[in-house]
């Protein structure tokens, strides 16, 4: 390999830590600027589909993810009472498992430990306050007073990306879809051996997703006003009110939801950076560049794919005697079509499930369907 690169990653979430591990294991000098004071994680659990697990294997943490989570292979579709209507086997990428449910805090610990052991330096409570790109490198000032020069700055800093605003102003802000996600962790029911999706009336659905041997999360999507926020004193009751159409396993899960603070509410927005995802040697990835709705369970998967492919693209460019710019161009050429396809189909599925009007282009995408998308996404990225 030619001389190692100095890379600054802005954001220590799933994508940022995956990239930190992949690059540090290749011998590059990696710093991660993370605004939080520790690698905790908001939210409940997350699904790692086979393509995401393939990346976890590539960076050496697959076994740890499976140990911390709950591996599953079949999606079960039920009626509102929980009676099974269909069982759909889930495909695999190479020899990676089909799916793994895992608590977000557990995944953060796995990835943080892997990045640190690979040699990446994580700077907590830190963000970028100034940067200057002169075409040969980027001079950066961090909020902890550190000043340095890096060959590449990568923004894995989420849907509200401060780096995106530095690069593009307010041109590519998150766009609210009109819907929000309600989720809460509850004890796992023995029969929940994989995702159980119950379809109700009013275009509603509820999902039970196992994340450990003992835990699962209950999730649902509903139309909500943009300024709506759950009542801190009765969020659990508001969730139950939205799920009155369901009985059986969903109703049983709700009996365990007694603490309003346990309910996680998040508006569903998306981001589409229509310009190039990099300006000079500053590049955006994951939700900062292409945040999607959660209807294909591929948001984090797209982020970790971005991370691994970026590391591979830098490898290839350096081996060929090319520069960082060539690597970024090659990376985006590989990633943009796949990420945009996921975003478009996921949004179309949201519209279909909620009875919202779809465009002719979305109707064509919907012919693929969720099973077809799953089989497409276990092809090489």
């Amino acid at each position: 390999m030619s001389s190692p690169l100095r890379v600054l990653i802005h954001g220590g979430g799933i994508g940022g830590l995956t990239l930190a591990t992949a690059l540090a294991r290749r011998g590059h000098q990696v710093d991660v600027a993370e605004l939080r004071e520790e690698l905790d994680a908001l939210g409940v659990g997350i699904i790692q589909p086979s393509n995401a697990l393939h990346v976890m294997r590539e960076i050496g943490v697959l076994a740890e993810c499976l140990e911390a989570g709950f591996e599953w292979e079949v999606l079960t579709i039920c009626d509102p009472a929980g009676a099974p209507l269909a069982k759909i086997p889930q495909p695999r990428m190479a020899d990676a498992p089909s799916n793994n449910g895992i608590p977000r805090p557990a995944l953060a610990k796995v990835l943080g430990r892997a990045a640190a052991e690979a040699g990446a330096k994580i700077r907590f409570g830190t963000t970028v306050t100034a940067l200057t790109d002169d075409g040969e490198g980027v001079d950066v000032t961090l909020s902890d007073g550190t000043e340095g020069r890096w060959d590449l700055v990568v923004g894995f800093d989420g849907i509200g990306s401060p780096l995106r605003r530095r690069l593009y102003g307010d041109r590519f802000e998150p766009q609210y879809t009109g819907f929000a996600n309600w989720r809460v962790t509850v004890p796992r029911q023995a029969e929940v051996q994989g995702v159980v999706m119950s379809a109700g009336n009013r275009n509603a659905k509820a999902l039970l997703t196992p994340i450990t041997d003992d835990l699962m999360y209950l999730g649902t999507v509903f139309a909500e006003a943009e300024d709506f926020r759950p009542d801190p004193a009765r969020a659990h009751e508001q969730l139950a009110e939205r799920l009155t159409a369901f009985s059986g396993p969903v109703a049983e899960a709700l009996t365990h939801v007694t603490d309003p603070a346990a309910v996680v509410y998040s508006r569903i927005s998306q981001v589409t950076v229509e310009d190039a995802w990099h300006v000079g040697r500053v590049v955006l990835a994951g939700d900062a560049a292409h945040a999607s709705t959660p209807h294909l369970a591929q948001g984090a998967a797209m982020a970790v794919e971005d991370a691994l492919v970026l590391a591979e693209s830098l490898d290839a460019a350096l081996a060929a005697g090319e520069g960082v710019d060539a690597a970024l161009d090659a990376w985006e050429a590989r990633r943009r079509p796949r990420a945009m396809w996921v975003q478009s189909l996921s949004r179309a599925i949201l519209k279909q499930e909620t009875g919202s009007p779809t465009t002719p282009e979305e109707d064509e995408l919907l012919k693929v369907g969720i099973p077809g998308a799953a089989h497409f996404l276990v092809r090489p990225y």
Side-chain angles (χ1 to χ4, degrees), residues 157-229:
D157 48 355
I159 193 169
S161 171
L163 277 188
R164 186 181 63 240
R165 295 193 183 101
R166 283 184 177 274
L167 296 180
Y168 307 106
D170 61 359
R171 293 175 56 209
F172 303 117
E173 289 295 288
Q175 300 299 308
Y176 180 50
T177 63
F179 296 87
N181 210 343
W182 297 72
R183 290 168 294 168
V184 61
T185 302
V186 296
R188 184 179 71 85
Q189 299 163 19
E191 64 270 27
V192 178
Q193 296 291 322
V195 168
V196 176
M197 183 174 73
S198 296
N201 56 18
R202 296 196 307 160
N203 301 306
K205 71 174 183 180
L207 287 90
L208 301 174
T209 301
I211 54 175
T212 71
D213 287 342
D214 300 321
L215 299 174
M216 64 182 184
Y217 70 83
L218 165 64
T220 189
V221 172
F222 267 85
E224 306 289 358
E226 188 167 5
D227 60 353
F228 172 81
R229 297 295 184 275

Side-chain angles (χ1 to χ4, degrees), residues 47-51 53 71-77 86-94 96-100 193-197 295-298 369-378:
I47 296 172
Q48 294 179 296
S50 192
N51 55 318
L53 292 172
E71 185 180 341
W72 57 275
E73 297 184 349
V74 177
L75 167 67
T76 303
I77 308 297
K87 291 183 178 290
I88 305 172
Q90 300 297 284
R92 293 169 173 256
M93 173 175 277
S98 296
N99 290 274
N100 187 52
Q193 296 291 322
V195 168
V196 176
M197 183 174 73
H295 290 68
L296 287 175
Q298 282 286 331
I370 294 177
H375 281 277
F376 173 82
L377 289 165
V378 294

Side-chain angles (χ1 to χ4, degrees), residues 1-5 28 311-324 326-327:
M1 186 180 84
S2 58
S3 298
L5 297 174
H28 299 294
E312 292 175 346
S313 299
L314 288 166
D315 275 353
L318 294 175
E322 299 173 337
V324 170

Side-chain angles (χ1 to χ4, degrees), residues 3-9 23 28-31 123 138 146-153 281 324:
S3 298
L5 297 174
R6 294 195 70 214
V7 181
L8 174 66
I9 301 170
L23 289 177
H28 299 294
Q29 182 178 332
V30 181
D31 293 281
R123 301 171 180 269
V138 188
T146 300
E147 294 182 351
R149 182 173 177 82
W150 284 268
D151 299 299
L152 176 65
V153 176
R281 289 182 173 230
V324 170

